[in-house]
Amino acid sequence: MGARTLLQVVAHPDDDAYGVAGTVALHAADPGFRFVLVHATDGGAGDIRDGFPATRETLGSIRRAEDAAAWRAHGRPPDRHEWLGLDDGEVSRVPEEELAGRIGEILAEEKPAVVATFGPDGLTGHPDHIAVGAATDAAFRQGAAAGLPGFQRLVHAALPQTVFERWNHRRAARGLAVWDPTAVYHLRGVPDEEVGVTVDTTAVSARVLAGLLEHRSQLHVIAEDPADLVRWERTLRREHHVIAWPPRPPGGPRLPDLFAGLEQPEEAVAHHDTAAPSGRSSLAT
């Protein structure tokens, strides 16, 4: 079983460049670490800025190549990378059961200790993000309920409310439009007390930035000023996650790593029959 396997499910190329890239870099030298990445779409319906050499027909293949280049620049490409081939912008039209089934097949094969995806807010309210997150939650729930090895922790990428407010304050001070948490494609925060994992990625933030810079077709979308590398790198020094499963006790400590406190392989094998979720949680139907 993948006691040190991290499996991330996202919607588009460049979604993966933020959420767990720092964690991947921090664990890169661990011989027991495995990183599996799943993309629902190739981002072919994304924005094409004036002058960029792409067409609607070629953007998807360009963004796939950018994603591969990003992980090479980062220095720790995924051990397995799956593209589900769904239409960009149309993921919410796919029946959740169908999408969860496809994701669940990969989860069952990999038996990851940690699964990372989007929460109900999609981080930016993007319908593709929300649909991918819901289907991944469902797939995780099914695997855990079946008593499969692994399936020890499910996390949702998050931005603490205090960080969101600080970023918005700085944007306003620079004369930039502030993020509107009610608008699609705008960042939104979650209450600080809901954040269960905060990873200090300062030591590897330069590697995360190197990866992000390879997403050339979307730099105008993912960075307010792509040329201001110092300011951009500072925003990459923390990764935050809500622990969606197992239920986190109110007031529980915030963990410093996605694998913190998880069972070792022999312990997980011994206890996997009792690992299925019970009671209500953020995954309860």
Side-chain angles (χ1 to χ4, degrees):
M1 62 167 289
R4 302 290 279 185
T5 294
L6 170 61
L7 191 152
Q8 184 186 30
V9 187
V10 294
H12 316 98
D14 73 34
D15 290 344
D16 49 309
Y18 284 100
V20 299
T23 291
V24 171
L26 289 171
H27 287 275
D30 180 354
F33 176 68
R34 179 172 172 81
F35 175 45
V36 179
L37 178 60
V38 180
H39 274 101
T41 85
D42 62 10
D47 191 61
I48 302 175
R49 71 175 183 272
D50 290 344
F52 187 83
T55 65
R56 185 55 59 209
E57 291 71 26
T58 64
L59 182 61
S61 60
I62 288 171
R63 294 189 68 182
R64 283 190 184 225
E66 288 177 343
D67 200 79
W71 284 105
R72 289 194 298 270
H74 173 280
R76 179 56 167 81
D79 297 285
R80 177 180 178 182
H81 193 172
E82 296 284 346
W83 297 88
L84 300 184
L86 302 178
D87 290 336
D88 185 11
E90 302 293 330
V91 180
S92 62
R93 296 179 179 272
V94 178
E96 184 178 301
E97 183 178 353
E98 176 184 333
L99 182 54
R102 296 187 64 183
I103 295 170
E105 289 177 0
I106 301 171
L107 266 61
E109 292 168 2
E110 293 291 341
K111 302 175 179 61
V114 179
V115 173
T117 190
F118 296 107
D121 63 358
L123 196 61
T124 64
H126 195 306
D128 282 358
H129 292 188
I130 294 170
V132 164
T136 303
D137 283 1
F140 183 96
R141 177 176 63 240
Q142 292 162 9
L148 296 178
F151 295 86
Q152 296 189 62
R153 179 171 290 153
L154 173 68
V155 299
H156 294 157
L159 188 64
Q161 183 65 25
T162 53
V163 176
F164 172 79
E165 292 172 357
R166 184 166 67 247
W167 286 8
N168 250 356
H169 178 76
R170 290 175 180 172
R171 289 179 66 87
R174 298 177 66 203
L176 300 172
V178 297
W179 298 112
D180 176 0
T182 67
V184 179
Y185 310 130
H186 283 230
L187 289 170
R188 53 257 287 142
V190 301
D192 284 35
E193 61 270 19
E194 294 183 11
V195 177
V197 181
T198 292
V199 183
D200 184 345
T201 57
T202 304
V204 295
S205 58
R207 291 174 59 177
V208 179
L209 179 59
L212 275 164
L213 288 170
E214 294 297 326
H215 291 277
R216 303 176 193 277
S217 69
Q218 301 299 304
L219 288 181
H220 65 297
V221 176
I222 61 180
E224 61 185 43
D225 183 359
D228 191 349
L229 300 184
V230 173
R231 186 184 300 273
W232 198 7
E233 184 270 338
R234 287 174 182 163
T235 70
L236 304 174
R237 296 180 181 179
R238 296 290 187 276
E239 290 175 355
H240 305 282
H241 305 271
V242 171
I243 299 176
W245 195 86
R248 178 169 172 255
R254 192 180 293 189
L255 302 177
D257 184 82
L258 287 177
F259 294 101
L262 296 187
E263 296 174 320
Q264 296 302 306
E266 62 276 6
E267 295 171 333
V269 170
H271 295 118
H272 79 266
D273 285 338
T274 61
S278 60
R280 292 191 61 81
S281 71
S282 60
L283 293 180
T285 55

